[in-house]
Amino acid sequence: MTETEPYELRVDGVARKVATSGQGASLATVLRDSLDLPGTKIGCGTGRCGTCAVLLDDVLVASCTVLAADTAGCEVTTVAGLGTASAPGPVQRALVEAGAVQCGYCTPGMVVAITDLLARIPQPTEVEVRFALSGNLCRCTGYGRIIAAVLALAQEYA
Ligand code: FES
Ligand code: FES
């Protein structure tokens, strides 16, 4: 594996230096393996499941499809920046309260995608929620409780 030049980016509001990233490493891999942020999951690794979702300069992306070195100077928001187990953010709380977390593997990507949705459309319809989450696969919940959680959270903000 060839090493790239060191580069910096901001992750969850903190400046981080990536000293040695494998040539061609994805942002998802660098977040997990170089920056010790395992909250961002890798499922398919090919941009199809959404579990690796992050915000890159406030744009929702599948971090497994982003070349990490291309994010130099960018601002990345991961699920870890949106709340923790001891201090959950509003989306995480809403998902838990709705019983929308089972195995939890899809949850980090759902949290980021829902955060993105509510920032763009604070009062989404069910159709808009389903469309916004259409790139996030969940094997467990059947989506009903996830969608209910989003709609309930939006109601809190109404
Ligand atoms: S791991 Fe990135 S979209 Fe599936
Ligand atoms: S809760 Fe298991 S994949 Fe969604």
Side-chain angles (χ1 to χ4, degrees):
M1 190 178 272
T2 307
E3 292 185 351
T4 61
E5 292 296 312
Y7 56 93
E8 286 192 4
L9 65 161
R10 288 183 67 81
V11 182
D12 298 329
V14 178
R16 303 294 300 266
K17 180 177 281 188
V18 181
T20 56
S21 169
Q23 186 75 38
S26 73
L27 178 59
T29 297
V30 166
L31 289 171
R32 291 177 54 81
D33 297 347
S34 301
L35 300 180
D36 194 25
L37 290 167
T40 297
K41 305 301 184 202
I42 297 177
C44 65
T46 57
R48 294 184 172 195
C49 76
T51 197
C52 67
V54 300
L55 299 176
L56 180 61
D57 287 341
D58 291 327
V59 175
L60 183 68
V61 298
S63 62
C64 70
T65 66
V66 176
L67 190 63
D70 283 349
T71 67
C74 293
E75 178 83 41
V76 177
T77 302
T78 77
V79 66
L82 299 174
T84 63
S86 58
V91 176
Q92 291 150 323
R93 175 183 53 75
L95 288 170
V96 170
E97 287 178 356
V101 180
Q102 291 187 26
C103 83
Y105 204 80
C106 71
T107 306
M110 290 286 184
V111 169
V112 176
I114 292 165
T115 299
D116 172 67
L117 166 65
L118 293 179
R120 292 183 292 105
I121 309 175
Q123 297 296 313
T125 65
E126 179 176 336
V127 170
E128 288 170 327
V129 176
R130 288 184 180 276
F131 183 77
L133 300 183
S134 60
N136 293 76
L137 302 185
C138 177
R139 298 276 186 188
C140 306
T141 66
Y143 301 98
R145 291 186 180 193
I146 294 173
I147 291 159
V150 178
L151 295 174
L153 181 58
Q155 275 303 110
E156 287 183 28
Y157 294 148

